Amino acid sequence: MSASPTAPPRSRAVLLGVQLPGASDAEHESSLGELARLGKTLGLEVVGRVTQRRARLAPAAVVGEGKLRELADWTGGTGVVPIGPPSARRRDGEDAGEAPDAEAPAPAAETKPRASVVLVDHELSPSQARNLERATGAEVLDRSAVILAIFQRHARSREARLQVEIARLAYWAPRMRETGGRDRQGGGIGGRGAGESALELDRRKIRDRIAELRLELAGIERESGTRRRRRGELPTVALVGYTNAGKSSWMRALTGSGVRVEDKLFATLDTTVRALQPEATPRILISDTVGFIKKLPHDLVASFRSTLDEARECELLVQVVDASDPAFAAQLEVTGEVLASIGATESPRLLVLNKVDRLDAETRARLARDWPDALLLSARDAADVATLRERIVAHFERGHVEAELVVPYAQQRVVAEAFASARVLAESHDERGTRLRVRATPEVLGRLREMLERS
Ligand SMILES: Nc1nc2c(ncn2[C@@H]2O[C@H](COP(=O)(O)OP(=O)(O)OP(=O)(O)O)[C@@H](O)[C@H]2O)c(=O)[nH]1
Ligand SMILES: [Mg+2]
């Protein structure tokens, strides 16, 4: 995989994870794997990992003293927290439930590539982050910081950039004093140094800046709200799901649009809306938007609220999940939680177990048994694309009824109207006029009949 063009070249990272009592080995493994992918998406080369089973995160520096030294071995730091709040001076033995880790010892220091970044699979308090930075001499990023940095790099539109900037300032404001001892203007992966650095501003200024950005964002949101209302009559389908599930691939397949598809996390940040192709009557709009991930930073969800309005205000949610990912059930849960948190619980949902082309027949059969209401599909299969299109069209035609209309030749306006607002199943001509077999809502049929009677 090539590094993203904006990433500093060849920065190396080491992962730090604690396996807490509630987490199974598989969950722990999949969470670290995801963190590694997030790191790669940022252009980092993940060279190692340090993990520990603990009853809880160590309050001072996440892991115990021994593990901290192992971590510092990767980064070239001292492995000890020099000075800090009282909690930093606690001895390791006081932390309940620490068990020795059975993993093989790390390779000798001379043969190891040095890492300049530590990615931590947990939310860190500002002092934990500072302690880890002091002990490792490396830049320390927790999950939220990594996700924010990816969003910052992938944001394209003015709206997405404003949303990310607000979330980023809100995240870094309480952390700037705590981590401000080292100067890495412009050099940091987490984005503290880039552009208008949070370090340069005090907290009050940050609050002012956030207020200013919110105001600007509100202006843009009013416009997009207007845009949504203007197309309000047309039924809309929102593609939602975990990041990298294949939403944009389905967007391309269903609408023929050239949206970005990448084997990257958070490739899409901006909402795209296009008509379903071949067109249905009336037209059906499909929207593709930002993906979800576990532990999505709160500030980010809050600032992407208007982007996520598409998911709240649609008539049908198509929830896409990567069925070839062993952790897909957990991803479905996360998607459900985020949808609930933004209030998108009313729209009917269609579940697509995607990427089934990667599965063997046996696994497919098992999934079909376990998920009887889901569609097992591949965005790469033309027949599957036709299937989903039909299901979407059928969803909107549920309340539709079939009828026959005879339109005298003097009233061809009604024929045009029928083609615009109903699905025309058959058309023939005889001495009385144009004979149409149509499917439409009772309201549309009523309107067409009224037009015929009026003349
Ligand atoms: N084999 C296979 N790969 C797929 C399928 N659908 C998508 N992919 C691949 O999965 C990766 C992610 O696809 P995207 O469509 O960008 O996923 P997304 O859900 O839009 O991801 P984000 O925008 O990053 O949240 C790409 O490499 C796609 O080519 C599928 O049905 N089969
Ligand atoms: Mg996408």
Side-chain angles (χ1 to χ4, degrees):
M1 191 191 269
S2 62
S4 98
T6 48
R10 291 185 312 280
S11 280
R12 297 197 187 93
V14 58
L15 308 179
L16 178 63
V18 169
Q19 186 172 358
L20 296 166
S24 70
D25 288 354
E27 280 163 0
H28 178 63
E29 193 49 48
S30 115
S31 189
L32 279 176
E34 188 173 273
L35 183 65
R37 294 201 59 201
L38 287 166
K40 277 189 198 144
T41 297
L42 267 184
L44 297 169
E45 184 192 351
V46 176
V47 290
R49 57 156 77 177
V50 173
T51 63
Q52 185 169 43
R53 278 177 201 268
R54 295 181 65 95
R56 60 194 164 86
L57 300 189
V62 181
V63 284
E65 281 181 0
K67 280 288 162 183
L68 200 52
R69 274 193 295 275
E70 186 183 326
L71 183 66
D73 231 26
W74 282 103
T75 59
T78 60
V80 288
V81 179
I83 28 160
S87 63
R89 275 181 249 116
R90 282 170 63 139
R91 294 208 47 84
D92 229 13
E94 289 171 27
D95 290 329
E98 184 174 338
D101 194 294
E103 259 180 45
E110 317 78 68
T111 64
K112 260 199 292 198
R114 276 275 163 92
S116 59
V117 182
V118 177
L119 303 180
V120 186
D121 199 21
H122 308 274
E123 190 132 351
L124 296 178
S125 71
S127 72
Q128 282 172 324
R130 183 195 54 193
N131 287 339
L132 276 174
E133 297 212 324
R134 284 184 179 167
T136 59
E139 183 177 11
V140 171
L141 300 174
D142 66 7
R143 232 171 201 272
S144 292
V146 173
I147 293 169
L148 281 167
I150 293 174
F151 270 60
Q152 190 182 12
R153 289 188 189 181
H154 292 184
R156 294 282 172 271
S157 70
R158 182 79 193 129
E159 185 174 20
R161 285 207 304 271
L162 283 169
Q163 288 167 331
V164 177
E165 185 65 8
I166 291 168
R168 209 174 64 85
L169 287 173
Y171 176 85
W172 285 112
R175 288 167 172 82
M176 32 175 283
R177 293 262 161 72
E178 310 286 352
T179 52
R182 305 175 62 228
D183 180 32
R184 56 173 96 75
Q185 295 289 69
I189 304 294
R192 256 168 300 182
E196 308 147 274
S197 164
L199 284 168
E200 292 164 9
L201 307 164
D202 66 22
R203 280 174 206 182
R204 190 183 50 76
K205 279 194 190 139
I206 289 182
R207 271 203 308 277
D208 290 350
R209 180 81 183 123
I210 290 178
E212 200 178 288
L213 292 170
R214 285 220 173 101
L215 215 61
E216 192 178 338
L217 184 60
I220 299 179
E221 284 171 356
R222 265 195 303 279
E223 275 169 42
S224 57
T226 316
R227 223 178 302 133
R228 246 195 317 277
R229 267 190 304 285
R230 222 177 291 139
R231 49 165 220 254
E233 308 245 300
L234 293 178
T236 306
V237 180
L239 293 162
V240 294
Y242 214 72
T243 181
N244 208 51
K247 300 175 296 299
S248 298
S249 302
W250 276 103
M251 180 73 180
R252 273 173 172 249
L254 291 169
T255 69
S257 71
V259 296
R260 175 192 294 252
V261 167
E262 267 179 298
D263 194 13
K264 251 187 191 178
L265 304 182
F266 301 113
T268 307
L269 292 189
D270 295 306
T271 304
T272 312
V273 182
R274 296 277 183 279
L276 180 69
Q277 296 290 342
E279 276 193 6
T281 316
R283 285 195 305 154
I284 295 172
L285 300 178
I286 314 279
S287 78
D288 175 27
T289 187
V290 59
F292 305 153
I293 198 164
K294 85 184 165 98
K295 302 182 197 159
L296 201 56
H298 275 301
D299 291 325
L300 210 49
V301 177
S303 58
F304 270 78
R305 251 198 128 77
S306 79
T307 303
L308 293 168
D309 274 350
E310 292 292 342
R312 197 171 38 237
E313 292 170 12
C314 69
E315 279 73 32
L316 176 67
L317 279 170
V318 171
Q319 190 175 353
V320 183
V321 69
D322 178 356
S324 73
D325 190 322
F328 86 83
Q331 297 175 353
L332 276 177
E333 224 168 280
V334 170
T335 305
E337 283 163 15
V338 180
L339 288 173
S341 80
I342 59 165
T345 45
E346 316 250 293
S347 314
R349 281 186 211 181
L350 199 57
L351 176 59
V352 172
L353 301 187
N354 191 33
K355 308 196 191 180
V356 295
D357 55 294
R358 290 185 176 167
L359 304 177
D360 56 32
E362 203 181 312
T363 313
R364 282 191 198 208
R366 181 172 50 75
L367 289 179
R369 255 196 330 273
D370 294 349
W371 302 84
D373 296 330
L375 293 168
L376 272 67
L377 303 173
S378 164
R380 299 193 173 171
D381 183 307
D384 285 0
V385 173
T387 301
L388 183 57
R389 183 191 174 278
E390 273 313 305
R391 279 295 292 264
I392 291 171
V393 172
H395 174 86
F396 290 107
E397 287 188 349
R398 266 178 327 179
H400 291 200
V401 285
E402 237 174 89
E404 191 160 81
L405 301 173
V406 179
V407 185
Y409 289 114
Q411 279 181 277
Q412 290 302 295
R413 205 167 55 84
V414 182
V415 174
E417 181 59 30
F419 272 95
S421 56
R423 171 145 134 172
V424 177
L425 305 167
E427 179 185 12
S428 62
H429 304 273
D430 59 23
E431 64 291 345
R432 292 171 56 205
T434 305
R435 215 172 256 279
L436 297 175
R437 181 123 212 107
V438 298
R439 259 188 90 79
T441 61
E443 296 80 50
V444 166
L445 282 177
R447 199 175 72 226
L448 292 171
R449 291 207 170 101
E450 223 173 84
M451 286 172 79
L452 285 171
E453 283 160 14
R454 237 185 279 140
S455 44

